[in-house]
Amino acid sequence: MSLHDFGTLPPGVSTPAPTPFTINIPKTQQERLANLINDAEIAAPSFYNTHTDATDVSTSVGVSRDWLVNAREVWAGRDSNNTSEGRYSWEEEQKKFNRYPQFTADVNVEHTTGEKTEKETFHLHFAALFSRSPTATPILLLHGWPGAWFEFAPALDRLAAQYTPETLPYHVVVPSLPDFGFSTREGVSERELSRELAAAALDGLMKGLGLGDGYVVQGGDLGAIIGPLVAAQSEGCKALHVNFSFLTPEQRESVAKFTVKPEEQALVARAAVWGGRGRAYATMHSTRPSTIALVLGTNPLAMLAWMGEKFQEWSDSRYPVPLNTVLSVVSYYWYTNSFGRAIWAYSPNGTIFPSVPSTKPFGYSSYPSEIMALPRSWAEKLFPTLVLYKQHDKGGHFAALEQPELFLQDLEEFIALI
């Protein structure tokens, strides 16, 4: 069975219907990137770039020169140390991505925050597995930074293997977040995007698909910031599940008084170390978004170092994210020219994080190598609508990518409970 058998749009889709989409990066762009990779300089060895381990959050001072040299060889299509995965090829990765049904849809949004009303037209890209069952539950899966919609590909593969279009109990919609990848909007260089407007656009996408009444939103990283906003703003979103959680200032003040159980101490300690050593990139994104985007946009290896560090440091080093996957993520940002568009969520105007809605069921999955901590003892006190908390012994920040089986088990259990 082909994954495209799951590509039949739901019967309630609005007019005009979403347009089928195929990723097709022109050969000229691929050749241009290949030349830039080959021509790029890598800085000479120094004490710091030869004495760092980006997989250890407690000691890392950034990505190592050896890692970057090896990654460049692989990205250029040479064998290097990547023989277990085969030589990297964007053409082959593109074929894998195009196995999934993908679409683009225009979403017009008018959203009011306080006395301010914003209007925007979004051109959203998304992948999906649609069910033909009339009782299927819609699910909206939201990725983060540095990530992309295909973080969820392993989970989609498992669903397609387990179900048929007739038996799939879910409509699974996986958008490229607004201003990420192939998702764009009118006036992108004229107006800053707000989190609230992005959340409204994603809700508008679900409504346009005829799935806006009774859907579940799930997210990690930025998806765990936008997800609560979707749940709070949309009557049609009935529940929220995340695998990453920012706390509001009031909540952080509260947890400072909570007692942490011994088995939760490692989670809290890791988050404390990351908070002191790992947040430099976020400060840069927030205070100098123009500079960092322009700098990284000049050199693909610079972008690889900046983003590759996160995949090493934020994931479970016992089960590392494959290098080919990291290269595909960076290639995707490069080909779509979306790095500068995609750091809007770090804006100084959006430094306060939304709380989980107090009226809707909430689920949380905890992984040991996550960079932020939400121990069970905190979650049970902070969130009265908590219906599921799962603690795992493996996995990290990129949960759906690193541990898709556990990720899906939790999500399906959460949906069954609600």
Side-chain angles (χ1 to χ4, degrees), residues 105-128:
D106 288 350
V107 178
N108 297 309
V109 173
E110 181 175 302
H111 179 74
T112 301
T113 304
E115 298 181 355
K116 183 180 179 182
T117 298
E118 298 176 281
K119 298 180 180 179
E120 198 76 83
T121 297
F122 292 83
H123 310 293
L124 296 183
H125 162 261
F126 65 98

Side-chain angles (χ1 to χ4, degrees), residues 150-335:
F150 49 87
E151 282 182 45
F152 297 102
L156 297 181
D157 288 339
R158 281 164 172 75
L159 287 172
Q162 184 177 354
Y163 302 106
T164 67
E166 288 72 26
T167 62
L168 180 65
Y170 321 108
H171 297 291
V172 187
V173 180
V174 190
S176 293
L177 291 178
D179 281 358
F180 280 71
F182 294 109
S183 286
T184 62
R185 61 190 169 94
E186 295 184 8
V188 66
S189 63
E190 301 166 12
R191 297 179 296 278
E192 185 178 31
L193 179 59
S194 69
R195 295 170 179 174
E196 292 77 12
L197 198 59
L202 294 166
D203 178 58
L205 173 64
M206 295 301 280
K207 289 177 179 175
L209 291 170
L211 306 175
D213 185 14
Y215 67 91
V216 174
V217 63
Q218 198 289 329
D221 191 82
L222 175 54
I225 298 174
I226 303 302
L229 285 173
V230 172
Q233 294 176 187
S234 170
E235 293 183 6
C237 178
K238 70 177 182 179
L240 167 71
H241 179 276
V242 298
N243 51 273
F244 183 73
S245 182
F246 282 107
L247 300 180
T248 65
E250 294 78 16
Q251 289 169 338
R252 289 197 296 271
E253 189 174 316
S254 295
V255 300
K257 306 172 186 176
F258 295 166
T259 300
V260 179
K261 296 179 181 179
E263 62 269 24
E264 299 170 334
Q265 187 57 50
L267 195 68
V268 175
R270 176 178 170 83
V273 171
W274 182 84
R277 297 183 60 91
R279 294 182 54 85
Y281 84 96
T283 301
M284 191 69 177
H285 285 195
S286 174
T287 62
R288 296 293 185 269
S290 175
T291 301
I292 191 61
L294 288 171
V295 167
L296 300 188
T298 65
N299 184 330
L301 288 191
M303 189 178 292
L304 174 60
W306 190 258
M307 298 171 73
E309 174 198 80
K310 315 308 184 280
F311 282 97
Q312 293 179 78
E313 187 174 299
W314 299 356
S315 58
D316 189 333
S317 60
R318 298 170 298 173
Y319 311 93
V321 174
L323 177 57
N324 280 4
T325 300
V326 177
L327 296 176
S328 289
V329 171
V330 180
S331 297
Y332 184 74
Y333 277 77
W334 186 271
Y335 286 136

